[in-house]
């Protein structure tokens, strides 16, 4: 008989099977096989927080049971983290094996690692199982109690989560900072010196008074300190007075420069660098890394440990010596220390797999696109982490001159010379700060000494404006969450996906909160402050680690979290607050106050956000980001004609005509609810792009309302020809054929013969028509290797590599779409898989109830004994018709709990 090995994924199974002989059969669980039920709480809070699990992959379990019948040993080889341990435990509960069970763990998929894991197996780690189960129950309790409050007070589609809610709060707080921010202008002088090599200095002081820079202003645009704020006139005048003045070196400070390499990657830093250097989302980084791990190219990619094994250190040092020479190696191997307070999950950093690392060039025939790029990133970072420091010298120079008016002007310049590149030969870490990106760049200054006269090439006044704090990107948000101790590396990618699905949209790589995100954050801050407090959320992560280590008990911790101990727990807070929450208050985001003192606010609404002043309201354009909705812009929107008063009447029908501002732009409307028959919808038409809402006349409105125009019928085939204005411009259409028009005005003048001639022409470059050439060519797709192009389709613009299509999303513009954003959209679309087909509902009466009575003669009814002598009834202690194994922790699908076995007892 064979030995059955169960891993999570088919790809992992395929790779591992190459290293095991014919005595082993490797199968995949395809992720988790059991979970809490989709509907209902699924946790008995009054009985030790006992969960009820449902088998989520019944077909997988059925196939694994069949394979187990042919096996004499079972190896559970899921990942060695909380989730992987829980999957192994659920498999144990569902399969009820009668053969020996061995827990097999490894951090890389190589022959040596797999063979070692087979020989050095262990039992189930119930501490990790308890921690995962606590985390899952905690998340269910959090969402189950708080999310209904959000539904009632804010609206459907909202939700709360222990990591999600603080993450959204961070993004909203950053946008609030940007909304409060007021830009300040300031000037300085840029002085180019005519030396060899040339260099540039900046004016830093005048008569001993420091010249203001951007960091000297607060968010209101006021200078923080006693600094000299130059305006354009002041800077220009000073430049003129310094024209011809001699600059002399007043001081030269030279210091040694030394820079040490960063540690090898952990999950969060890999996600950050994948975003900065490769333009990938956190989800894409993890998806590619998962594939590389499962195929044996890198070690396990969910880890917060920066430690490398002795084998890895030796491999890295050997390759550095081979590729760069001994001088690029420090005398002793480097031992890096991470910032994580309790590094858990897998216990080694992410690195190339194996006893000897393969270079990217060696893998060029096996890997391509995103796979190769991410492998190269991991390879470079690993080698650099064991390389010598970069060294050199830094020089800071001060130069002074006296202006024609006797002012003492002081300029500063700095430079860096890299004497020995060390690890910089291989890798330079990315940054979210564009200015910091220059940190490791070499800038040269000439040899200067105090008193030297330095010739001036030019003096140029330079204007600047203070900038608001940058919005979070996925990379910078992951970094901030890690700094605060919120979440764990394995959760960040799913959190990025969840918040973008509900509360955040992207403009380029920047994460922008919706107005609903503001409302949710308002509610959580005012009524559930503890649950979005960053310190509290981080402490919860530490508590889960203590449960994994056995220092805290699962039931006691959950009881205190949910019921409280002295202070109210989650349940009590929800009960206390739900009725006192003012929905209008939490859904109100102040913008400012008008001249009369009337507050102007924005609110998320059923049909989109809108601004409000008293009883006056106006829709907020869909693409207007929060920090651009200033008081002035809000007042402009409120001043736009609302269309409540007709601009005229249709002479033919007598119906009123309105000009209105809508969420998707201005339009005219014929009739309303008071003048049309019940159920009839008013006729509408968008304004042309060169029209202004407050200038529209009755005659123009009536002309617009003739659109779409039926031009006639094609005598050749009897099909109707129509001229219409679409979301992406004017066009003529016959059946499925369409051709763009070059101007909206032609919609009103084009005749049938002209339209037929246009439709008879081959499809040309333009936005309408499936066969039209692309709007833009963006570059090669790193995954498929095919060129990515931007096209216009029936449902709007989209990007495609010829195999995968992905629609542009909110915040994306055909005019500004980049290759990096297109790659991200395509990767997300690939990950989503094929579109789910809609299943038609069964006709009334055809619905089959589970457990309905069978044909006469059978004995099975809902809740009755099963056929073939089984005794399973819903809620009983038996699972799958077999007796519950003594000492097991739970019964598959029932949630029943017995005394847990000791760690290692499989």
């Amino acid at each position: 008989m064979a030995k059955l090995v169960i891993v999570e994924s088919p790809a992992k199974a395929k790779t591992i099977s190459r290293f095991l002989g014919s005595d082993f059969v490797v199968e995949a669980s395809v992720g988790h096989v059991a979970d809490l039920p989709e509907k209902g709480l699924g946790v008995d809070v009054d009985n030790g927080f006992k969960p009820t699990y449902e088998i989520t992959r019944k077909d997988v379990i059925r196939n694994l049971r069949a394979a187990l019948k042919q096996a004499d040993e079972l190896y559970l080889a899921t990942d060695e983290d909380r989730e992987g341990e829980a999957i192994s435990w659920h498999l144990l509960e569902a399969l009820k094996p009668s053969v020996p069970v061995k827990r097999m763990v490894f951090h890389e998929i190589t022959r040596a690692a797999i063979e070692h894991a087979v020989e050095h197996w262990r039992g189930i780690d119930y501490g990790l199982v308890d921690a995962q189960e606590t985390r899952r129950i905690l998340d269910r309790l959090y969402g189950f109690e708080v999310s209904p409050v959000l539904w009632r007070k804010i609206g459907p589609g909202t939700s709360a989560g222990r990591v999600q809610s603080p993450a959204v709060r961070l993004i909203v707080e950053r946008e609030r900072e940007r909304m409060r921010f007021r830009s300040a202008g300031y000037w300085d002088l840029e002085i180019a010196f005519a030396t060899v090599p040339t260099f540039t200095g900046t004016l830093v002081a005048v008569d001993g008074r420091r010249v203001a820079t951007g960091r000297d202003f607060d968010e209101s645009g006021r200078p923080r300190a006693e600094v000299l704020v130059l305006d354009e006139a002041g800077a220009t005048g000073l430049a003129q007075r310094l024209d011809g003045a001699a600059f002399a070196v007043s001081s030269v400070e030279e210091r040694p420069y030394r820079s040490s390499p960063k540690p090898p990657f952990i999950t969060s830093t890999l996600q950050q660098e994948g975003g900065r250097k490769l333009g990938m989302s956190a989800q894409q980084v993890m998806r590619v890394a998962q594939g590389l791990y499962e195929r044996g190219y890198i070690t396990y990619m969910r880890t917060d440990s920066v430690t490398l094994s002795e084998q890895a250190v030796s491999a890295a040092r050997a390759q550095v010596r081979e590729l760069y020479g001994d001088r690029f190696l420090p005398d002793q191997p480097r031992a890096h220390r991470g910032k994580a307070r309790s590094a858990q999950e897998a216990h080694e950093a992410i690195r190339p797999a194996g006893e000897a690392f393969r270079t990217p060039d060696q893998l060029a025939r096996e890997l391509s696109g995103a796979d190769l790029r991410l492998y190269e990133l991991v390879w470079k970072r690993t080698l650099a982490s064991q390389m010598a420091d970069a060294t050199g010298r830094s020089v800071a120079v001060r130069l002074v001159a006296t202006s024609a008016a006797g002012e003492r002007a002081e300029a500063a310049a700095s430079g860096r010379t890299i004497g020995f590149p060390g690890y910089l030969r291989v890798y330079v870490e990315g940054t979210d700060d564009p200015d910091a990106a220059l940190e490791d760049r070499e800038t040269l200054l000439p040899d200067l000494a105090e008193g030297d006269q330095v010739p001036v090439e030019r003096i140029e006044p330079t204007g600047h404006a203070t900038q608001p704090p940058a919005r979070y990107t996925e990379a910078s948000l992951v970094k901030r969450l890690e700094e605060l101790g919120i979440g764990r590396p394995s959760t960040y990618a799913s959190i990025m996906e969840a918040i973008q699905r509900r509360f955040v949209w992207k403009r380029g790589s920047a994460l922008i909160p919706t107005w609903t995100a503001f409302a949710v954050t308002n509610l959580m801050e005012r009524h559930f402050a503890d649950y979005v407090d960053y310190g509290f959320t981080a402490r919860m992560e530490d508590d889960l680690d203590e449960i994994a280590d056995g220092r805290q008990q699962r039931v006691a911790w959950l009881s205190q979290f949910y019921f409280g101990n002295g202070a109210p727990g989650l349940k009590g807070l929800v009960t206390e607050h739900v009725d006192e929450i003012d929905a209008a208050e939490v859904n109100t985001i102040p913008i400012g106050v008008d001249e009369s003192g009337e507050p102007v606010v924005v609110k998320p609404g059923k049909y989109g956000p809108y601004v409000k002043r008293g009883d006056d309201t106006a829709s907020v354009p869909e693409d207007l980001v929060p920090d651009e909705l200033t008081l002035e812009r809000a007042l402009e929107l409120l001043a736009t004609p609302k269309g409540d008063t007709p601009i005229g009447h249709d002479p033919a029908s007598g119906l009123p005509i309105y000009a209105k501002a809508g969420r998707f732009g201005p339009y005219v409307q014929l009739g309303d609810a008071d003048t049309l028959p019940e159920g009839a919808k008013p006729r509408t038409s968008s304004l042309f792009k060169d029209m202004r809402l407050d200038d529209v006349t009755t005659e123009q409105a009536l002309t617009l309302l003739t659109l779409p125009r039926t031009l006639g019928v094609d005598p050749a085939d009897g099909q109707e020809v129509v001229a219409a204005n679409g979301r992406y411009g004017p066009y003529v259409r016959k059946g499925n054929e369409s051709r763009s028009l070059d101007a909206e005005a032609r919609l009103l003048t084009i005749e049938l013969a002209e339209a037929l001639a246009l439709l008879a022409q081959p499809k040309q470059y333009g936005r309408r028509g499936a066969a039209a050439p692309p709007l833009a060519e963006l570059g090669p797709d790193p995954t498929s290797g095919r060129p990515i192009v931007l096209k216009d389709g029936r449902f709007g613009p989209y990007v495609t590599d010829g195999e995968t299509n992905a629609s542009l999303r909110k915040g994306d513009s055909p005019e500004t779409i980049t290759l990096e954003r297109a790659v991200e959209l395509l990767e997300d679309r690939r990950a989503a898989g094929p579109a789910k087909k809609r299943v038609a509902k069964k006709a009334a009466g055809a619905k089959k109830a589970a457990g309905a009575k069978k044909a006469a003669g059978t004995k099975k009814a809902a809740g009755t004994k099963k056929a073939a002598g089984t005794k399973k009834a819903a809620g009983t202690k038996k699972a799958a018709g077999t007796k519950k194994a003594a000492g097991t922790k739970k019964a598959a699908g029932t949630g029943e709990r017995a005394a847990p076995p000791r760690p290692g007892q499989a």
Side-chain angles (χ1 to χ4, degrees):
M1 298 181 76
K3 305 177 192 305
L4 177 62
V5 180
I6 303 178
V7 297
E8 295 101 321
S9 76
K12 192 174 176 182
K14 183 178 179 181
T15 305
I16 290 176
S17 64
R18 299 204 310 260
F19 306 129
L20 297 173
S22 58
D23 291 340
F24 290 84
V25 173
V26 187
E27 299 287 351
S29 70
V30 197
H32 278 279
V33 296
D35 197 4
L36 297 175
E38 289 188 9
K39 296 182 179 179
L41 180 58
V43 179
D44 188 348
V45 297
D46 297 317
N47 188 18
F49 295 90
K50 184 171 62 178
T52 298
Y53 289 107
E54 292 181 348
I55 299 297
T56 54
R57 298 191 179 276
K58 295 180 180 179
D59 55 336
V60 170
I61 292 298
R62 184 167 54 250
N63 294 336
L64 291 176
R65 282 177 180 153
L68 187 58
K69 289 179 180 179
Q70 308 301 317
D72 55 7
E73 283 186 341
L74 172 62
Y75 286 83
L76 298 173
T78 54
D79 294 336
E80 191 186 15
D81 57 14
R82 293 175 189 164
E83 297 300 317
E85 208 71 21
I87 292 172
S88 280
W89 176 72
H90 281 300
L91 285 167
L92 186 65
E93 292 295 303
L95 296 176
K96 295 288 185 289
S98 57
V99 298
V101 178
K102 299 176 179 179
R103 180 75 170 97
M104 176 178 159
V105 294
F106 43 85
H107 305 300
E108 59 181 340
I109 304 178
T110 60
R111 182 177 299 279
I114 299 304
E115 290 175 351
H116 182 273
V118 170
E119 293 297 323
H120 298 84
W121 56 272
R122 61 167 173 79
I124 296 286
D125 185 336
Y126 285 99
L128 286 177
V129 173
D130 272 347
Q132 189 277 340
E133 187 170 75
T134 305
R135 194 274 308 162
R136 186 70 186 93
I137 292 172
L138 166 64
D139 288 347
R140 175 57 64 93
L141 294 174
Y142 195 122
F144 194 85
E145 293 292 351
V146 181
S147 293
V149 178
L150 302 183
W151 303 339
R152 287 177 56 184
K153 302 299 181 178
I154 296 175
T158 53
S159 63
R162 66 183 178 94
V163 180
Q164 169 188 295
S165 296
V168 171
R169 183 188 177 197
L170 282 169
I171 296 170
V172 168
E173 283 185 332
R174 181 58 54 87
E175 198 69 18
R176 287 171 177 165
E177 292 178 46
R178 292 176 64 90
M179 293 169 73
R180 292 192 300 267
F181 179 82
R182 297 294 179 267
S183 182
Y186 62 96
W187 287 68
D188 57 23
L189 301 181
E190 187 176 274
I191 306 166
F193 294 99
T195 56
V196 180
T198 61
F199 70 100
T200 301
T202 302
L203 180 73
V204 293
V206 177
D207 287 336
R209 191 177 177 191
R210 189 166 59 84
V211 175
T213 63
R215 61 176 175 270
D216 292 316
F217 296 86
D218 63 20
E219 65 179 15
S220 300
R222 295 187 295 266
R224 289 192 179 95
E226 290 297 321
V227 291
L228 175 62
V229 181
L230 292 175
D231 57 14
E232 183 177 8
T236 302
L238 180 58
Q240 292 170 349
R241 294 191 296 276
L242 285 170
D243 187 26
F247 274 83
V249 176
S250 61
S251 67
V252 178
E253 290 187 15
E254 185 173 328
R255 295 179 180 177
Y257 165 77
R258 179 174 292 274
S259 175
S260 299
K262 300 293 183 181
F265 281 131
I266 61 176
T267 306
S268 58
T269 53
L270 179 64
Q271 291 173 4
Q272 292 167 45
E273 285 290 82
R276 295 173 186 137
K277 284 183 161 39
L278 306 182
M280 292 182 177
S281 67
Q283 194 78 13
Q284 290 165 355
V285 169
M286 294 308 291
R287 187 162 53 246
V288 175
Q290 178 90 32
L292 290 172
Y293 165 65
E294 291 177 346
R295 287 175 286 156
Y297 292 106
I298 64 172
T299 54
Y300 190 53
M301 67 291 157
R302 291 189 178 91
T303 175
D304 51 12
S305 169
V306 296
T307 302
L308 289 176
S309 66
E310 290 183 10
Q311 178 191 83
V313 171
S314 297
R317 288 175 63 85
Q319 198 156 65
V320 170
R321 182 178 291 110
E322 175 189 349
L323 297 177
Y324 304 104
D326 285 329
R327 68 193 189 103
F328 281 86
L329 278 175
D331 293 337
Q332 298 295 325
R334 290 187 181 275
H336 294 278
R337 292 185 178 181
K339 297 178 181 178
R341 287 166 292 184
S342 178
Q344 49 99 29
E345 314 283 7
H347 303 296
E348 189 178 4
I350 304 168
R351 61 168 176 85
E355 298 177 1
F357 299 161
R358 290 175 286 179
T359 68
D361 288 343
Q362 290 171 331
L363 291 177
R365 293 186 177 181
E366 300 178 37
L367 298 176
S368 62
D371 289 341
L372 185 58
R373 292 159 66 211
L374 193 66
Y375 177 85
E376 184 176 24
L377 201 66
V378 171
W379 177 80
K380 285 182 174 180
R381 177 79 166 224
T382 307
L383 258 60
S385 74
Q386 288 299 314
M387 292 178 70
D389 290 347
T391 58
R393 65 188 187 105
S394 295
V395 180
V397 178
R398 290 284 180 127
L399 307 99
V400 295
T402 302
S403 74
E407 300 149 304
R408 186 178 188 272
E410 186 173 353
S414 60
R416 174 176 295 153
T417 302
I418 306 296
F420 175 63
Y423 77 94
L424 295 177
R425 176 67 59 86
V426 177
Y427 191 85
V428 180
E429 186 178 34
T431 175
D432 299 302
D433 180 359
D435 294 331
L438 304 176
E439 179 184 348
D440 292 307
R441 197 174 74 175
E442 186 174 59
T443 51
L444 299 178
L445 292 180
D447 289 329
L448 297 171
E450 188 173 334
D452 285 353
Q453 298 288 312
V454 184
V456 175
E457 182 178 301
R458 70 177 189 283
I459 301 177
E460 185 176 332
T462 307
H464 310 274
T466 57
Q467 298 298 314
R471 289 189 177 95
Y472 284 108
T473 63
E474 286 195 14
S476 60
L477 182 59
V478 164
K479 181 179 180 182
R480 186 60 179 146
L481 290 171
E482 184 186 29
E483 289 171 349
L484 293 170
I486 297 173
R488 278 291 181 259
S490 57
T491 66
Y492 292 145
S494 60
I495 289 300
M496 296 301 118
E497 182 183 32
I499 63 176
Q500 290 178 62
R501 195 166 57 241
R502 298 185 179 100
F503 301 116
V504 174
W505 55 284
K506 275 187 173 182
R507 175 182 281 183
S509 61
L511 299 175
I512 300 172
T514 63
W515 292 110
T516 300
F518 278 79
V520 168
T521 301
N522 284 346
L523 187 151
M524 295 295 292
E525 287 175 332
R526 296 174 193 179
H527 300 282
F528 301 100
D530 278 351
Y531 299 102
V532 287
D533 178 80
Y534 304 131
F536 175 83
T537 309
R539 288 193 298 274
M540 289 169 63
E541 295 290 347
D542 292 339
D543 289 342
L544 291 175
D545 290 341
E546 291 189 357
I547 290 170
D549 294 340
R551 288 174 285 159
Q552 286 206 50
Q553 295 301 310
R554 181 184 70 87
V555 174
W557 189 90
L558 285 169
S559 180
Q560 182 170 338
F561 168 77
Y562 190 68
F563 292 116
N565 184 11
L570 176 65
K571 181 66 174 177
L573 284 174
V574 170
T575 304
E576 287 178 10
H577 285 300
V578 67
D579 292 327
E580 70 183 42
I581 296 174
D582 185 339
E585 180 186 25
V586 298
N587 282 281
T588 298
I589 299 99
I591 298 299
V593 178
D594 70 5
E595 293 180 352
S596 67
E598 184 82 13
V600 179
V601 301
V602 62
K603 289 174 169 280
K606 183 178 179 181
Y607 302 105
Y610 60 95
V611 289
K612 187 175 189 293
R613 178 181 55 183
D615 295 328
D616 195 10
T617 63
S619 295
V620 174
E622 192 177 41
D623 59 350
L624 186 64
V625 299
D627 77 329
E628 293 175 4
L629 184 56
T630 60
L631 176 62
E632 294 72 25
R633 185 74 176 95
L635 293 175
E636 285 179 16
L637 294 172
L638 289 165
T640 304
K642 305 296 184 302
D644 298 331
T645 303
I647 61 172
H649 289 76
D650 176 18
S653 64
L655 292 173
I657 300 172
Y658 301 92
K660 297 190 173 190
R663 183 181 175 189
F664 301 107
Y667 66 98
V668 291
Q669 175 180 307
L670 179 63
D672 53 27
D674 296 331
T675 57
L676 293 170
E678 185 176 352
K681 292 184 178 180
R683 187 182 181 89
T684 62
S685 183
S686 297
L687 266 61
F688 288 174
K689 288 182 173 59
D690 59 354
M691 292 180 172
R692 286 169 45 88
L693 190 62
D694 48 3
D695 294 335
V696 174
T697 65
T698 303
E699 292 72 22
Q700 287 175 321
L702 288 171
T703 302
L704 291 171
L705 288 164
T706 63
L707 300 174
R709 285 175 61 214
T710 300
L711 306 180
V713 173
D714 184 351
D717 53 22
Q719 291 192 72
E720 197 171 64
V721 180
V722 175
N725 206 359
R727 183 178 178 186
Y728 301 104
Y731 64 98
V732 291
R733 183 187 69 240
K734 183 187 76 166
N736 294 327
E737 287 289 315
S738 62
R739 299 291 185 275
S740 296
L741 296 176
D742 54 11
E744 289 176 311
R746 291 195 65 197
L747 291 168
L748 307 175
T749 59
I750 191 168
E751 299 297 337
L752 177 62
E754 189 179 0
L756 289 174
L758 187 60
L759 288 162
Q761 294 177 6
K763 295 187 183 220
Q764 301 296 319
Y765 182 94
R767 289 194 162 192
R768 302 204 64 85
L775 303 178
E777 296 180 1
L778 303 176
D781 180 74
T783 298
S784 67
R786 296 168 174 261
I788 300 177
V789 296
L790 173 69
K791 289 191 171 186
D792 208 358
R794 179 182 177 189
F795 301 105
Y798 66 97
V799 290
T800 179
D801 67 345
E803 294 178 343
T804 305
N805 301 338
S807 297
L808 270 59
R809 300 177 188 169
K810 179 179 178 180
D812 296 326
S813 164
E815 290 77 21
T816 59
I817 189 78
T818 63
L819 173 61
E820 290 75 17
R821 178 59 174 156
V823 169
E824 183 177 345
L825 292 171
L826 289 172
E827 286 295 328
D828 287 347
R829 185 66 192 86
R830 291 185 187 106
K836 293 182 179 179
K837 295 182 179 179
R838 295 184 62 185
V839 180
K841 293 183 178 179
K842 292 184 179 180
K847 189 176 180 181
K848 184 177 181 180
K853 290 185 178 180
K854 287 189 175 182
T858 65
K859 294 182 179 180
K860 185 177 177 184
T864 65
K865 292 182 180 180
K866 277 190 172 183
T870 60
K871 296 182 178 181
K872 184 180 176 185
T876 65
K877 294 184 179 180
K878 295 181 181 179
T882 63
K883 290 184 178 181
K884 185 178 179 185
T888 60
K889 207 172 181 185
K890 296 181 182 174
T894 66
E896 291 297 326
R897 191 176 193 74
R902 297 174 184 174
Q905 179 183 349

